[in-house]
Amino acid sequence: MTRRQVWGLVGLLALAAVAWLVFAVWPAWLNAILISKKAFVSAILNGLTLAGLYFLVASGFTLIFGLMRNINLAHGSLYLLGAYIGYEVTSRTGYWLLGVAAGFAVLAIIGVVMQVFVFRRLEGDDLRQTLVTIGISIVAADLMLAVWAGGTYQIATPEWLDGALILPIITAVRSNGASVFLTYPLYRVVVLAAAIVIGVGLWLMLNKTRVGMMIRAGVDDRAMLSASGVNVHAVFAIVFAVGAGLAGFAGVVGGSALSVAPGEDVRYLLASLVVVIVGGMGSITGAAIGALLIGLAEQIGLVYFPTYGVVLTFVIMVVTLAVRPQGIMGKAR
């Protein structure tokens, strides 16, 4: 057997084991070891939905940092600003979808402004990009603190997204033989579905369209693409708008699922950095894999290793860098 076949067999066995853990009725000894089946399956589902949210943030970051090689350490501030804008629009109009659209649109415009007035003037200067965007993030954090104070906000979701789904997962069996099925919030499932749709759309755009071809060509050989008559600056501005818009979109979605508060910008910036490093710079597929690993590690660690759960994220990053420095799906340069 080849190495690829061996890894494929290992993956199938792992999937079969996870499927058994999720759908089978657990014996008493397994419940005693893993607390309960409900706790285990809830941690897996929470990890998947958190991974979807991390991917929404990191997908924009991987376009800007991983693909275009623009070091934007203000990406977390874009997420938090999008969340605040979504909160204001939703609370004033009562329409959640309008808040989502506003978060994406306003941050896309801000992204274009940053690309034109900051990154276009600092092309190829990584150190200055890093310092300037750190300064932007600090100023933005103070401005948001001045406008929205230090309180915690929750973006209200519409009624059609409230409630819970009954999943075909048996968590227990009553004494009368009746099965108890797991219920899970509908909104978290919608977040995961939105992340999958956006991920597939981004992959198709970058790999199967003329725009994606121009983006990849501009990153690899900007002079040649410009010589062919393509406006490289316009292409890069569009990419930056999409990346920043996705951060704003993720802010509204994340603020609806969790909360909006000072400090969330740093959290999601670090998460995006780890996801891109683990998955591989410039790879949408890698960002999805990285988000999945980080989301599952964070939630499983929260349930089974509450004291050291945060460490798991950085252990994954260190192991990835030691074994494959370019990331799981990254290309060596």
Side-chain angles (χ1 to χ4, degrees):
M1 294 180 67
T2 64
R3 180 179 296 182
R4 183 184 295 272
Q5 290 173 331
V6 171
W7 280 112
L9 181 59
V10 171
L12 288 176
L13 291 175
L15 286 175
V18 172
W20 184 86
L21 287 171
V22 171
F23 294 103
V25 178
W26 283 15
W29 61 267
L30 189 57
N31 276 302
I33 294 175
L34 297 178
I35 302 177
S36 69
K37 181 178 179 181
K38 183 177 180 180
F40 175 80
V41 175
S42 296
I44 295 294
L45 292 175
N46 288 339
L48 290 174
T49 53
L50 182 62
L53 180 58
Y54 281 165
F55 173 77
L56 289 175
V57 185
S59 59
F61 192 69
T62 198
L63 288 175
I64 296 171
F65 175 52
L67 187 63
M68 296 174 57
R69 299 297 189 269
N70 283 335
I71 303 176
N72 180 22
L73 296 186
H75 194 75
S77 298
L78 300 180
Y79 168 90
L80 187 57
L81 180 58
Y84 279 128
I85 291 173
Y87 169 77
E88 288 293 336
V89 173
T90 301
S91 60
R92 292 176 186 273
T93 64
Y95 292 101
W96 180 78
L97 288 176
L98 191 59
V100 173
F104 179 88
V106 173
L107 269 297
I109 294 171
I110 292 175
V112 172
V113 172
M114 289 180 65
Q115 204 282 326
V116 171
F117 292 101
V118 178
F119 289 97
R120 190 173 296 181
R121 300 171 183 270
L122 303 177
E123 288 182 356
D125 195 337
D126 295 344
L127 178 59
R128 291 179 66 193
Q129 288 180 4
T130 302
L131 294 175
V132 170
T133 52
I134 288 175
I136 291 174
S137 66
I138 293 172
V139 172
D142 286 343
L143 290 175
M144 286 185 282
L145 187 63
V147 174
W148 286 284
T152 300
Y153 301 95
Q154 181 86 36
I155 301 175
T157 55
E159 293 183 1
W160 54 274
L161 285 178
D162 286 337
L165 292 175
I166 300 178
L167 302 178
I169 300 174
I170 299 174
T171 57
V173 178
R174 295 193 176 98
S175 58
N176 60 359
S179 299
V180 179
F181 292 93
L182 180 70
T183 58
Y184 198 73
L186 171 62
Y187 182 76
R188 285 181 171 265
V189 177
V190 172
V191 171
L192 179 60
I196 293 172
V197 171
I198 290 174
V200 172
L202 286 175
W203 186 88
L204 291 174
M205 182 194 76
L206 289 174
N207 295 280
K208 301 297 182 181
T209 65
R210 182 177 176 82
V211 174
M213 180 183 67
M214 289 190 296
I215 293 171
R216 288 182 283 112
V219 172
D220 293 335
D221 196 336
R222 183 178 305 183
M224 184 61 70
L225 182 64
S226 180
S228 65
V230 177
N231 189 336
V232 178
H233 289 304
V235 172
F236 279 13
I238 292 172
V239 175
F240 217 102
V242 173
L246 285 173
F249 173 83
V252 183
V253 172
S256 303
L258 302 173
S259 61
V260 184
E264 293 294 295
D265 51 345
V266 177
R267 174 190 173 185
Y268 285 96
L269 173 62
L270 289 176
S272 299
L273 280 169
V274 174
V275 166
V276 171
I277 290 171
V278 171
M281 295 180 63
S283 172
I284 297 297
T285 306
I289 295 173
L292 185 63
L293 291 174
I294 300 307
L296 287 173
E298 186 172 320
Q299 290 301 307
I300 291 174
L302 188 64
V303 173
Y304 294 103
F305 315 102
T307 304
Y308 307 101
V310 180
V311 179
L312 290 177
T313 298
F314 296 99
V315 169
I316 292 173
M317 184 178 69
V318 170
V319 171
T320 302
L321 290 175
V323 175
R324 190 174 171 84
Q326 69 269 32
I328 295 174
M329 299 297 291
K331 296 180 180 179
R333 290 180 175 268

